[in-house]
Amino acid sequence: MSRFVMNKKDKLHEVADRVVSLASQLKKIIVTAESCTGGLVAKAITDIPGSSYCFSHGFVTYSDTAKNTLLGINSLLIKDNGAVSKIVAERMAKNTLRDNTVDISVAITGIAGPTGGTLEKPVGTVWLAWGYYIDNQIIIDTQHYCFNGDRNTIRFESAIEALIGLEKRMKKCNSV
């Protein structure tokens, strides 16, 4: 394993540790919906001792069928927009909040490669979405990325950004 990936693992662990600490302090319950990261965010969170106080569950919806059956995303929406799209990421984040025992979600869909990219959506294209509540209203934020590197690099970068986004949104919804 390259030194670069080892550094990314350290960074992922560091950010996950901060997220677990903050979520536990704020009494926020996290849920994840992951595609291209294959559960890497959920693993990073649950690697931290005490994560059982703030992590409910995760979905790994790698296929379009899983996105449809487990997260209730309309298959025509996926067909018309592609699985790697803003609207699919938004629906993944929103639909994970349907269980009223969770407070904040993160969803990831992307193309980690080395194949699967197109001119419009090259390898490294990733959509992240976070869902959370402010005044009992679901807020969905999205962010588009185009990461460079190999499959592992893209997956680790996506997971790190997902966790950084969770940290920011927990601070945001707690300060309102």
Side-chain angles (χ1 to χ4, degrees), residues 63-108:
S63 71
D64 293 353
T65 301
K67 288 174 184 68
N68 174 258
T69 57
L70 296 175
L71 297 178
I73 300 172
N74 187 299
S75 56
L76 289 176
L77 183 92
I78 296 171
K79 182 180 176 191
D80 291 347
N81 297 279
V84 179
S85 61
K86 179 180 181 177
I87 193 161
V88 169
E90 288 172 340
R91 296 288 168 87
M92 289 170 70
K94 183 177 181 180
N95 290 359
T96 58
L97 292 175
R98 66 182 172 225
D99 173 1
N100 64 6
T101 64
V102 297
D103 301 301
I104 190 165
S105 67
V106 62
I108 306 164

Side-chain angles (χ1 to χ4, degrees), residues 150-167:
D150 64 11
R151 181 177 182 81
N152 280 333
T153 301
I154 292 165
R155 293 176 75 221
F156 273 93
E157 290 287 346
S158 299
I160 290 166
E161 290 301 325
L163 288 165
I164 289 170
L166 276 174
E167 184 178 30

Side-chain angles (χ1 to χ4, degrees), residues 21-159:
S21 177
L22 182 62
S24 297
Q25 175 189 343
L26 299 176
K27 298 184 179 6
K28 299 290 183 192
I29 304 298
I30 301 167
V31 62
T32 61
E34 302 180 64
S35 186
C36 67
T37 50
L40 189 57
V41 174
K43 180 190 181 317
I45 291 171
T46 59
D47 280 348
I48 306 300
S51 60
S52 60
Y53 296 109
C54 66
F55 185 75
S56 175
H57 58 285
F59 295 92
V60 177
T61 54
Y62 205 69
S63 71
D64 293 353
T65 301
K67 288 174 184 68
N68 174 258
T69 57
L70 296 175
L71 297 178
I73 300 172
N74 187 299
S75 56
L76 289 176
L77 183 92
I78 296 171
K79 182 180 176 191
D80 291 347
N81 297 279
V84 179
S85 61
K86 179 180 181 177
I87 193 161
V88 169
E90 288 172 340
R91 296 288 168 87
M92 289 170 70
K94 183 177 181 180
N95 290 359
T96 58
L97 292 175
R98 66 182 172 225
D99 173 1
N100 64 6
T101 64
V102 297
D103 301 301
I104 190 165
S105 67
V106 62
I108 306 164
T109 184
I111 305 166
T115 61
T118 65
L119 286 175
E120 297 82 29
K121 296 178 185 179
V123 168
T125 299
V126 175
W127 279 97
L128 296 178
W130 299 268
Y132 54 97
Y133 295 93
I134 294 180
D135 295 330
N136 294 319
Q137 299 269 354
I138 294 177
I139 307 297
I140 304 292
D141 295 335
T142 58
Q143 183 69 48
H144 174 257
Y145 296 89
C146 196
F147 297 114
N148 293 313
D150 64 11
R151 181 177 182 81
N152 280 333
T153 301
I154 292 165
R155 293 176 75 221
F156 273 93
E157 290 287 346
S158 299

